Amino acid sequence: MERSERKLKLKERLLDRMDMSRDVTDEELEDLIDECLLEECIRQYIPLPEREKLRKDLFASMRQLDCLQELITDPNITEIMVNGCNNIFVEEEGKIRQYDERFDSEEKLSDVIQQIVSKCNRTVNESSPIVDARLENGSRVNVVLPPVALNGPILTIRRFPEHPFTMEKLIQTGALTEEAAEFLEKLVRARYNIFVSGGTGSGKTTMLNALSGYVPKTERIITIEDSAELQILGVPNLVRMETRNANTEGCQEISIRDLIHSSLRMRPDRLIVGEIRGAEALDMLQAMNTGSDGSMSTGHANSARDMLSRIETMVLMGSAALPLPAIRQQIASGIDIILHLGRLRDKSRKVLEITEVDRYEDGQIHLNTLYRFEEKGSDENGKVLGKLAGKGELIHDDKLKAAGIAASCHKPA
């Protein structure tokens, strides 16, 4: 008998024996599982490793996330992609492979999805088939249900490390140089407004976490996210806020725009917005331009220059009446630094560019490149070789001077 068939048989036996008139504790459930396994072993020999695996699988199916539980607890798994009940893919060390487990049925997958979204007060159903949520460990979750998803419920989980990456760890992995990290530390301490850009999976949230480690612990930080992912540690005066979707029970939507407006009345020293995707870009720029120096956010883009174009578009989504010159002036005066990240062909994540937003002049925003990643080929294992090299000096060093910090930390190449 295959393990999947044996698991289904044992689960049916478990359900028959469980007293549904009361809550069964985890300990009682484990005792019932052991009892059923012992009976099955008497009928047919089951090797000890398979027996242990069945025990874990049965408990996970009844009380946890079924066949995903093992993946959720594996620190090497960074992405879990469920395409219907039969196809599960995982990303491990930058490589995607198919997982050999599956859900027993589409109903079981749907139960797991409802279990996830209900724990963070979200709703997903046929009338509202798309939702973003998170797990208790901070992992980001996206769900798409039929009829939008044609091959069954789609569940995507982005896992984050239990212990957030510090800048020291990013230096060790080669994401950036120690010199560049020291420069970024000075910028954060001096309250420069920093925007982190990059493609999907380039490490924007990880970088935002690392940068937040440079914020003085005496400051009041307010974080705003669609789904709470940031892991800011050691800051006692920290306020974390998360958006809320509207639901059929009468709860109104609370958007990032609403939270930014509210946060400005909460006396923030710094405002950190997890990701800018739309009309809230205007509110973020206004916050940066009206006293919330040292604020940070992220956005999807292919380069630092492209990020500026995307911010323009997002601002227009919120206020089409604003003339383009006024928008560009707001961007140039609000954002001080753009930190662009990328994922190279060897799957490594790198800081590709650190750029200063210089000024708005003659209808254009002028940029000043401070660092740029220079590739120097690949080694015999396909690892990309190169270095984040200094390219220019900071032009606007007034905030550094005001903070009593030396203006420069590198010599341009």
Side-chain angles (χ1 to χ4, degrees):
M1 183 186 297
E2 290 187 5
R3 184 162 59 84
S4 59
E5 294 179 18
R6 183 175 279 125
K7 176 186 166 185
L8 279 173
K9 181 180 176 182
L10 287 168
K11 188 176 177 181
E12 289 174 2
R13 197 177 301 164
L14 267 174
L15 290 171
D16 288 340
R17 296 187 183 187
M18 287 178 66
D19 184 356
M20 297 300 181
S21 64
R22 64 179 182 85
D23 290 333
V24 177
T25 66
D26 288 350
E27 291 77 12
E28 289 174 328
L29 177 59
E30 287 173 341
D31 289 342
L32 280 173
I33 291 172
D34 289 338
E35 182 182 308
C36 291
L37 278 172
L38 180 60
E39 292 175 1
E40 188 67 19
C41 286
I42 293 172
R43 293 188 182 92
Q44 185 178 6
Y45 172 71
I46 304 175
L48 182 59
E50 184 179 343
R51 200 184 315 160
E52 289 296 323
K53 184 75 168 67
L54 278 167
R55 189 176 190 273
K56 289 180 181 179
D57 288 352
L58 285 166
F59 186 81
S61 177
M62 303 290 286
R63 287 289 159 87
Q64 297 172 319
L65 301 182
D66 202 62
C67 60
L68 300 184
Q69 188 63 37
E70 185 176 344
L71 300 176
I72 293 295
T73 55
D74 187 341
N76 297 315
I77 301 296
T78 53
E79 197 101 25
I80 302 167
M81 296 157 276
V82 181
N83 305 336
C85 62
N86 294 321
N87 293 303
I88 302 174
F89 294 84
V90 297
E91 181 186 55
E92 186 174 4
E93 297 180 352
K95 297 179 181 178
I96 295 176
R97 61 176 174 82
Q98 188 163 10
Y99 187 49
D100 55 6
E101 297 285 345
R102 60 185 292 276
F103 284 94
D104 296 334
S105 65
E106 192 169 296
E107 288 73 24
K108 181 58 185 177
L109 172 55
S110 296
D111 288 344
V112 168
I113 288 172
Q114 293 301 331
Q115 179 183 339
I116 291 171
V117 299
S118 63
K119 284 187 177 180
C120 50
N121 296 317
R122 300 293 171 99
T123 302
V124 64
N125 49 44
E126 191 172 303
S127 60
S128 180
I130 301 175
V131 72
D132 288 320
R134 58 182 165 83
L135 299 179
E136 292 177 349
N137 65 2
S139 298
R140 183 172 66 202
V141 178
N142 175 263
V143 176
V144 182
L145 297 184
V148 175
L150 301 181
N151 52 335
I154 307 300
L155 173 66
T156 308
I157 302 173
R158 169 77 57 84
R159 289 193 73 254
F160 296 100
E162 293 180 10
H163 304 289
F165 266 71
T166 61
M167 198 62 77
E168 289 72 22
K169 287 184 181 179
L170 292 177
I171 294 169
Q172 291 171 9
T173 60
L176 77 168
T177 62
E178 187 174 350
E179 177 191 288
E182 290 174 0
F183 181 56
L184 290 172
E185 179 181 6
K186 293 183 178 185
L187 295 179
V188 172
R189 285 170 49 207
R191 304 179 65 82
Y192 279 73
N193 293 323
I194 299 175
F195 209 96
V196 181
S197 69
T200 301
S202 59
K204 297 184 294 298
T205 302
T206 299
M207 178 58 69
L208 205 57
N209 268 321
L211 289 172
S212 69
Y214 291 143
V215 175
K217 308 307 179 189
T218 55
E219 295 188 7
R220 177 173 172 83
I221 301 176
I222 297 179
T223 66
I224 296 172
E225 302 173 82
D226 271 332
S227 295
E229 300 169 9
L230 292 170
Q231 298 169 287
I232 298 176
L233 305 176
V235 178
N237 199 350
L238 173 67
V239 177
R240 304 174 71 218
M241 295 195 290
E242 183 180 64
T243 61
R244 184 183 72 186
N245 295 334
N247 62 31
T248 55
E249 298 174 357
C251 290
Q252 294 183 342
E253 178 189 11
I254 298 176
S255 67
I256 285 183
R257 300 194 77 174
D258 297 327
L259 294 178
I260 292 176
H261 292 162
S262 180
S263 70
L264 297 178
R265 301 185 184 95
M266 299 167 69
R267 199 237 174 257
D269 287 313
R270 296 180 193 248
L271 188 61
I272 300 179
V273 179
E275 184 178 341
I276 295 295
R277 293 194 184 101
E280 65 272 9
L282 176 60
D283 305 282
M284 187 67 187
L285 287 175
Q286 288 176 336
M288 288 177 166
N289 277 302
T290 54
S292 293
D293 283 341
S295 295
M296 293 182 272
S297 188
T298 77
H300 282 81
N302 296 320
S303 67
R305 172 67 67 182
D306 182 50
M307 191 70 250
L308 295 179
S309 299
R310 293 212 65 236
I311 292 173
E312 288 178 10
T313 303
M314 288 187 283
V315 170
L316 288 170
M317 290 168 64
S319 182
L322 271 178
L324 195 56
I327 295 172
R328 290 178 176 170
Q329 182 66 57
Q330 285 272 306
I331 293 171
S333 59
I335 300 174
D336 298 312
I337 299 291
I338 297 178
L339 182 62
H340 184 68
L341 313 178
R343 194 169 184 182
L344 306 184
R345 59 182 177 276
D346 63 355
K347 308 301 181 183
S348 64
R349 297 173 174 88
K350 304 281 187 186
V351 175
L352 300 182
E353 191 177 353
I354 302 175
T355 298
E356 177 185 14
V357 180
D358 179 11
R359 67 194 186 282
Y360 173 71
E361 187 177 84
D362 299 328
Q364 297 296 323
I365 298 175
H366 294 262
L367 301 179
N368 173 35
T369 301
L370 304 174
Y371 286 87
R372 179 178 288 125
F373 182 77
E374 294 182 344
E375 186 179 328
K376 298 179 180 178
S378 307
D379 65 13
E380 62 275 8
N381 298 317
K383 181 181 178 181
V384 175
L385 304 175
K387 183 181 179 182
L388 188 65
K391 291 296 177 182
E393 292 287 344
L394 192 71
I395 295 172
H396 301 282
D397 58 1
D398 50 318
K399 290 185 179 180
L400 285 170
K401 289 178 179 177
I405 300 172
S408 178
C409 72
H410 76 269
K411 295 179 180 179

